[in-house]
Amino acid sequence: MPDAHILGIESSCDETGAAVVRSGQEILSNVVASQIATHQPYGGVVPELASREHLRAMVPVVRQALAEAGQTYRSVDAIAVTQGPGLAGALLVGISFAKALAFALDKPLIAVNHLEGHVHAVLLERRLEENGELHFPVLALVVSGGHTHLYLAQVQENLWTYRNIGHTRDDAAGEAFDKVAKLLGLGYPGGPIIDRLAAHGDPLAVKFQTSQIKHPDRRDRKQGDHEGVAREEDGPRFDFSYSGIKTAVLRYVETEKLKAEIEVRRRALADIDQPKLEDYLRLSDRKTLNLVASFQRSMVSDLVMKTLVAARECEVRTLFVSGGVAANRELRVTFEREAGMQGLPVFFPSRALSTDNAAMIAAAAFPKFLRREFVAMDFSAEAGMSLR
Ligand code: KG4
Ligand code: ZN
């Protein structure tokens, strides 16, 4: 297999990323400029601000990634960039820069689906080699701020193909973490802080209903208008739904009269530059900590249970769990325990590689590089891109 240094560029949401990865596995550099501070006052990502921040960060981030990897613009073998899904304006910043580089340097240009990037993050850092051979079919759960998708993945002669067998009917899991954190005055993004606070509460204190496990959705099949629409022979679909639990948390806040405390916490945290765990703990009473722990337990149980039902029914041999929410500690421990009981090997990216980064984009580009799957200069962003 030929060696290749691929420069990856990622700008689909609120992280500007650039990385150099050797032959799809070895990370030589991975630079991420986070925009969290920019979006924090708004409690979520503001698309116009995201594009502006990408414009500001792109050149220095790419330069730093090359320097840390001991590479130059000329020495890399190809340039890979996220084509979608994501915010159109944000994607265009990365794509325009990647095109300019590829054109000026006369290098091949590779377009990568962000979701495929998350799947390939699992293959980085030689994590699989340490743990033995990879057996297909693989079931990949991509669980992030924008997606909660289940894909059956196969590979043949470096061609990876994916079949979507499940998705969220409403909010993505990461979106539910973010919305619940916002509702409780804990700030943005919600996942990392809920992850840390949950360890300090009782996960069995509040009971939340989880939604239905599995059903073939015939209406989708007739409409045929969105990703992963299954034909009859494609078999069952495994769907998720997380808007209900968010509403249940809101109802709990109202019935338990937590609003005044939430307002105090929101204001106090806004006044602290980079609040620490102790600040959150000081500002949260037992009831709130129990609520946070119970919310996370319900989310984790639902994600793990539904994914393992899908894994059993599809008779997969390996499970991948990736995307921002895959950084969640309780999710990882629970998947390892439950999949272990089924004798199913489960792999995650390292926690740092679970959230958005460009190393995963460069990794996913490597099989395409081997297949010479290059794009022409007229390709563009695809905000609603699906993975196949
Ligand atoms: O993959 P990602 O960085 O961006 C998207 O493609 O969406 O995922 C970001 C999402 C956010 O919703 C964030 O709250 C969530 O991942 N997240 C977490 C954790 N770290 C990030 N959710 C739960 N626990 C975490 N530790
Ligand atoms: Zn992502």
Side-chain angles (χ1 to χ4, degrees), residues 308-309 311-312 337-344:
L308 291 181
V309 167
R312 267 197 304 275
R337 187 185 64 229
E338 299 295 322
M341 274 159 52
Q342 286 192 18
L344 183 65

Side-chain angles (χ1 to χ4, degrees), residues 118-168:
H118 276 303
V119 173
H120 281 251
V122 179
L123 304 171
L124 282 161
E125 301 178 320
R126 304 185 181 275
R127 297 172 78 76
L128 284 172
E129 278 175 31
E130 281 164 25
N131 291 288
E133 212 186 320
L134 177 58
H135 295 288
F136 288 86
V138 166
L139 179 65
L141 169 67
V142 181
V143 59
S144 69
H147 296 86
T148 308
H149 282 186
L150 281 171
Y151 295 98
L152 276 180
Q154 291 278 10
V155 66
Q156 227 168 16
E157 288 166 11
N158 291 311
L159 177 64
W160 284 72
T161 49
Y162 305 87
R163 184 154 68 83
N164 180 238
I165 60 161
H167 64 174
T168 178

Side-chain angles (χ1 to χ4, degrees), residues 33-152:
S34 170
Q35 303 179 1
I36 285 177
T38 305
H39 301 290
Q40 218 148 29
Y42 305 94
V45 179
V46 183
E48 288 79 5
L49 295 184
S51 308
R52 195 186 70 191
E53 291 302 307
H54 285 306
L55 276 172
R56 224 198 288 268
M58 188 55 74
V59 173
V61 163
V62 170
R63 279 196 185 139
Q64 190 183 337
L66 288 170
E68 285 181 15
Q71 296 283 315
T72 64
Y73 283 123
R74 300 224 161 261
S75 68
V76 294
D77 296 293
I79 291 149
V81 65
T82 306
Q83 182 175 14
L87 303 167
L91 289 162
L92 279 172
V93 177
I95 290 173
S96 310
F97 189 57
K99 277 186 189 176
L101 284 181
F103 182 70
L105 302 166
D106 197 21
K107 303 275 183 195
L109 185 59
I110 301 167
V112 175
N113 184 308
H114 180 82
L115 299 169
E116 184 168 26
H118 276 303
V119 173
H120 281 251
V122 179
L123 304 171
L124 282 161
E125 301 178 320
R126 304 185 181 275
R127 297 172 78 76
L128 284 172
E129 278 175 31
E130 281 164 25
N131 291 288
E133 212 186 320
L134 177 58
H135 295 288
F136 288 86
V138 166
L139 179 65
L141 169 67
V142 181
V143 59
S144 69
H147 296 86
T148 308
H149 282 186
L150 281 171
Y151 295 98
L152 276 180

Side-chain angles (χ1 to χ4, degrees), residues 114 118 144-146 174 177-178 189-192 195 323-325 327-328 351 355-356:
H114 180 82
H118 276 303
S144 69
F177 273 91
D178 294 337
D195 186 349
V325 182
N328 187 274
R351 293 188 69 222
T355 47
D356 289 352

